[in-house]
């Protein structure tokens, strides 16, 4: 099966599951994140990363409400492992860093921390809380800092109940153009 069909299959099987403690589905969240990236004129790789940033939630079998049980599902690492078979670092690194970017923004922008949704504030604790000053410094040296922070901001906004978006096929047209040559 090619990667595009695999992605479609994952969304049709698991995309209807609830997105964390929010009132939307995983697929609605993914499409909204990708749409915000597209509207910001992001590259095809960053639109793809935005669409697939939570694919880790679709490849594990933990319940949607794992954080309620004190479980950090480590979905960013699972997602990266899955994506690295088909995509380069310009897709996988922003995905890997999207949780660290939240911890980073909590450390450097006090307003960001207080504006987190209740579900996001709950998972922050499981993810290790705001980054320490040393961690902030090392995060800022990442060549993917900007992409990861942009993705994070779209991720945070991609929770609008009932918002119409272009469909999955629309965004997969970007994904097709950025699959690694070796695959
Ligand atoms: Fe997300």
């Amino acid at each position: 099966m090619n990667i595009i069909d695999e992605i479609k299959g994952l969304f049709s099987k698991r995309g209807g599951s609830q997105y964390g403690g929010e009132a939307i589905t995983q697929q609605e969240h993914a499409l909204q994140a990708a749409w915000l990236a597209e509207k910001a004129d992001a590259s095809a790789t960053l639109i793809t990363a935005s669409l697939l940033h939570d694919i880790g939630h679709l490849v594990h079998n933990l319940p949607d409400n794992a954080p309620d049980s004190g479980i950090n599902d480590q979905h960013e690492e699972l997602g990266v492992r899955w994506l690295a078979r088909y995509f380069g670092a310009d897709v996988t690194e922003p995905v890997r860093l999207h949780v660290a970017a939240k911890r980073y923004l909590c450390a450097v922008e006090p307003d960001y921390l207080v504006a987190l949704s209740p579900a996001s504030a709950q998972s922050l604790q499981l993810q290790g809380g705001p980054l320490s000053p040393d961690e902030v410094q090392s995060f800022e040296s990442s060549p993917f800092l900007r992409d990861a922070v942009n993705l994070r901001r779209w991720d945070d906004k991609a929770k609008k109940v009932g918002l119409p978006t272009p469909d999955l096929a629309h965004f997969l047209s970007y994904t097709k153009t950025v699959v690694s040559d070796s695959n």
Side-chain angles (χ1 to χ4, degrees):
M1 204 193 304
N2 75 35
I3 175 63
I4 300 299
D5 288 337
E6 260 192 75
I7 293 168
K8 283 185 192 158
L10 271 180
F11 274 105
S12 76
K13 206 166 110 199
R14 305 281 310 275
S17 60
Q18 196 195 0
Y19 172 64
E22 316 285 346
I24 60 170
T25 66
Q26 290 285 348
Q27 177 154 331
E28 289 169 325
H29 174 64
L31 296 179
Q32 289 185 23
W35 199 34
L36 288 163
E38 184 184 47
K39 287 193 289 188
D41 281 328
S43 61
T45 48
L46 194 51
I47 293 171
T48 294
S50 301
L51 180 71
L52 303 177
H53 75 278
D54 280 335
I55 198 94
H57 283 307
L58 307 185
V59 299
H60 70 54
N61 289 315
L62 292 169
D64 301 339
N65 65 346
D68 291 339
S69 320
I71 296 169
N72 176 3
D73 64 14
Q74 310 231 336
H75 70 280
E76 69 278 22
E77 295 297 342
L78 289 170
V80 167
R81 235 176 287 153
W82 197 88
L83 292 169
R85 297 176 299 150
Y86 306 104
F87 299 101
D90 41 7
V91 172
T92 60
E93 281 304 284
V95 173
R96 189 171 69 81
L97 295 174
H98 84 277
V99 171
K102 168 179 151 184
R103 299 178 59 206
Y104 169 75
L105 288 168
C106 286
V108 300
E109 286 185 13
D111 290 352
Y112 179 88
L113 177 58
V114 296
L116 287 182
S117 70
S120 197
Q122 181 191 37
S123 59
L124 173 68
Q125 296 316 314
L126 297 172
Q127 290 156 347
L131 293 185
S132 70
D134 280 356
E135 290 169 329
V136 164
Q137 225 179 5
S138 88
F139 191 72
E140 284 177 341
S141 69
S142 165
F144 293 100
L145 168 75
R146 254 188 75 191
D147 282 355
V149 166
N150 281 333
L151 196 166
R152 184 73 225 181
R153 293 195 193 279
W154 300 322
D155 183 9
D156 291 328
K157 286 193 194 129
K159 300 174 181 177
K160 296 233 161 53
V161 177
L163 182 76
T165 63
D167 63 9
L168 182 61
H170 171 80
F171 294 112
L172 287 175
S173 64
Y174 293 101
T175 303
K176 280 179 199 157
T177 69
V178 300
V179 175
S180 300
D181 294 340
S182 55
N183 290 288

